Amino acid sequence: MNPLASVAHLTPANWAHANRLLVRKALAEFAHERLLAPEPVPADEPAAAGPAPRRYQVRGDDGEVVYRFTASLLALDHWHIDADSITRHRGDTELPLDALAFCLDLRGALGLTDQILPVYLEEISSTLASTAYKLDKPAVSAAELADADFQTIETQMTEGHPGFVANNGRIGFGVDEYRAYAPEAGNPVRLIWVAAHRDRTTFTCAADLDYDTLIRAELGDDTLARFADTLTGLGLEPADYLLVPVHPWQWWNRISVTFAAEVAQRRLVCLGPGPDEYLAQQSIRTFFNVTDPSRHYVKTALSVLNMGFMRGLSAAYMEATPAINDWLAELIDGDEVLKGTGLTIIRERAAVGYRHLEYEAATDRYSPYRKMLAALWRESPVPALEPGRRLATMASLLHTDRDGRSFAAALIARSGLAPKVWLRRYLDAYLTPLLHSFYAHDLAFMPHGENVVLVLDGATVERAIFKDIAEEIVVMDPDADLPPPVRRVRADVPEDMKLLSIFTDVFDCFLRYLGAILVTEDVLDEETFWRTVAECAADYADSVPHLAERLRRYDLFAPEFALSCLNRLQLRNNQQMVDLADPSAALQLVGTLTNPIARFAPAAR
């Protein structure tokens, strides 16, 4: 690629706009997590009742640099900040807004250590560059997107995780690789396939599937014959190998170099690209098959640092993945409440992983060297889609276009339903199965926007599909009677933290943003939004009288709950934020939040 063209999006105007947006987010999220304590500007009028906007300021560590902005404080301590109102000053001099300078101005307040700071600045720089790229693309309005198909919506997302400030780090991608592989670039990708010798490779699959059936369905006879010819041409026996899909970046930057001994000794053999084209999803290492959408998603190992984790895949960890998915699918199918909500999962049907014995001997289970060559196949939601329905990532409900118009508001307008009715249908599809999973099964998902696919009937949410199962579900009972391969998902979570799986992951990390969007766009007022959430929860409770004791023990209408802070995790350790085997141990809890549905509690709880 022409080196000048590769950075065409990095213009002064795009950079200034990207910095303003990121400083706005940093002020809002760091204030929410109480790393910063905005003070009313002294000359401002006293605050009016309710969420009326007013001027605030935040001082830098040196007391000289001051950020001033206009904001409204909404439920769950959500700071809705007017990006255009933000100014940065030193004395009487106004300074440019600069997200890197922001981190340095507030380094002490943010707790950025000498070890973490440079990597965090690199993640901030990459996030800014990503935003500049998105700003350089032709604008697509929220109204246009409300009529779009699944993958068009997926590639038009602009924000990434709503809570994390440095959410598009992708450290390891060069600018040409960003343009080739970033989901927002929307460029089709052909995966590279390698043959991995069976003596170091593990394949597992669902009970009703086998290796040959899967690979033949995914690749077809012609490609399999071509791959077999490559192996026999080297004097190798195809039956001695298993086929593994590899992210192109991973092949060029890791496998061909870090695993050079394996390649040289023919334990790994490159077979070239497969026939199908894929689009990267928001999680960057998962691909949707656009050549044949009925075929599986493919999730690949990718040794790129992004949002607090190296995005590899562990061969050992993947081994139990299909069994966990089979178990969960059976649980949902046998539960009338979950079936009644329409909930389904897209199962991770098979997994393959290569074990590099020498790196394993030299490292512990956390090491990225153990997570460089593995893949899994996840069902596509397309074959099970009912006639007349379409799909959209739930992350789209938090998307706003270049003019600040939201996709959610566009759907509501297009649906013809009253906003409260539309919202309730969404909550019945999304929140109710999460509540029942918790109260009936001690089961929690990681139900953020990228992990949920919505089935739309026209512009109305009809049901939800949960994904990314084996890595992110947890059964919060260490003594739960689970089949041996599934026991990995058990965790001993303290009693007072269990309900945070709803309060934090659903209320604070998703509904807080959705509510703010609908309130600030005058679609719904705050009281109506949270009353509707409360009504959904209360109606669920009424429908399961046999769970009344658990509903009392874990009170969803409690006056307050602990504030669990995501950015504090990344600011503390941006290489490995959380041990997935013990997620509650890493939580950063700082004070409490007022529960926005507490005041709508049913009279007789």
Side-chain angles (χ1 to χ4, degrees), residues 459-473:
T460 305
V461 177
E462 185 173 71
R463 62 185 182 87
I465 304 169
F466 292 171
K467 65 185 183 72
D468 215 353
I469 300 303
E471 282 194 280
E472 298 199 330
I473 66 167

Side-chain angles (χ1 to χ4, degrees), residues 64-87:
E64 300 296 322
V65 173
V66 181
Y67 291 82
R68 296 192 179 99
F69 53 90
T70 300
S72 301
L73 192 55
L74 305 177
L76 291 170
D77 287 1
H78 181 82
W79 289 81
H80 177 70
I81 296 175
D82 176 5
D84 291 336
S85 74
I86 305 170
T87 56

